[in-house]
Amino acid sequence: MAGSDAGDRRGSEYLQVQTTTDSRAEAMELARAAVEARLAACGQVAGPVASTYWWNDELERSEEWFVFLKTPADRYDELAAFLSDRHSYDEPEIVATAIVSGSASFLSWIRDETRPRPASGASGTPQEPGADEAARQAAEGQIRAE
């Protein structure tokens, strides 16, 4: 469903993927889980927003929360499937918008943070506890400074 009908994304190397949920708690959890799984470099939650839509032949109105996720286009199908699987809605909104331009360092950060990491100690060098967190904070600090 979510991955197979994604549409034409040619020429878009990076995407902002959005979904909505009916609670801040679910929105925060979807953002956290997608970033932790390295399917998105960052997740942002905004809301609430007032939504009006048709569902089961009824006009519905509800309060929803946005989840915005930044990811490389080559990770979209996996991210969409992840969101579809974990989402509480029967038919969740999963929409991708091309990032047509951005700072080179930010876009590079998106790519780097969505690549699988080798298992701890795989390089033969033991990592200090918290090394990944320190690297993430350093990257975010560098991004914010630009």
Side-chain angles (χ1 to χ4, degrees):
M1 168 175 71
S4 62
D5 61 352
D8 187 0
R9 295 183 310 277
R10 286 178 288 178
S12 303
E13 193 173 347
Y14 298 95
L15 303 171
Q16 177 170 279
V17 177
Q18 75 181 45
T19 191
T20 55
T21 67
D22 64 0
S23 74
R24 182 178 188 275
E26 182 180 5
M28 295 294 289
E29 178 55 24
L30 285 172
R32 183 206 61 76
V35 172
E36 183 177 64
R38 295 200 174 273
L39 296 172
C42 69
Q44 299 163 311
V45 173
V49 297
S51 296
T52 304
Y53 52 93
W54 287 103
W55 186 250
N56 294 327
D57 294 325
E58 298 285 332
L59 189 60
E60 299 282 338
R61 294 168 78 180
S62 65
E63 183 176 279
E64 294 185 297
W65 295 81
F66 277 112
V67 181
F68 300 102
L69 301 158
K70 311 303 187 292
T71 195
D74 66 0
R75 300 290 292 194
Y76 173 79
D77 290 336
E78 194 175 353
L79 176 58
F82 179 89
L83 291 171
S84 184
D85 183 53
R86 291 180 176 237
H87 208 292
S88 65
Y89 289 2
D90 292 337
E91 186 61 48
E93 168 188 350
I94 302 173
V95 177
T97 303
I99 298 174
V100 296
S101 187
S103 73
S105 61
F106 182 73
L107 298 177
S108 179
W109 174 78
I110 291 173
R111 175 154 307 281
D112 292 347
E113 293 306 320
T114 54
R115 298 300 152 205
R117 295 292 190 255
S120 186
S123 65
T125 323
Q127 281 193 322
E128 292 181 35
D132 287 343
E133 178 64 14
R136 183 192 63 77
Q137 289 175 352
E140 286 180 355
Q142 179 182 15
I143 291 164
R144 288 190 183 106
E146 293 180 6

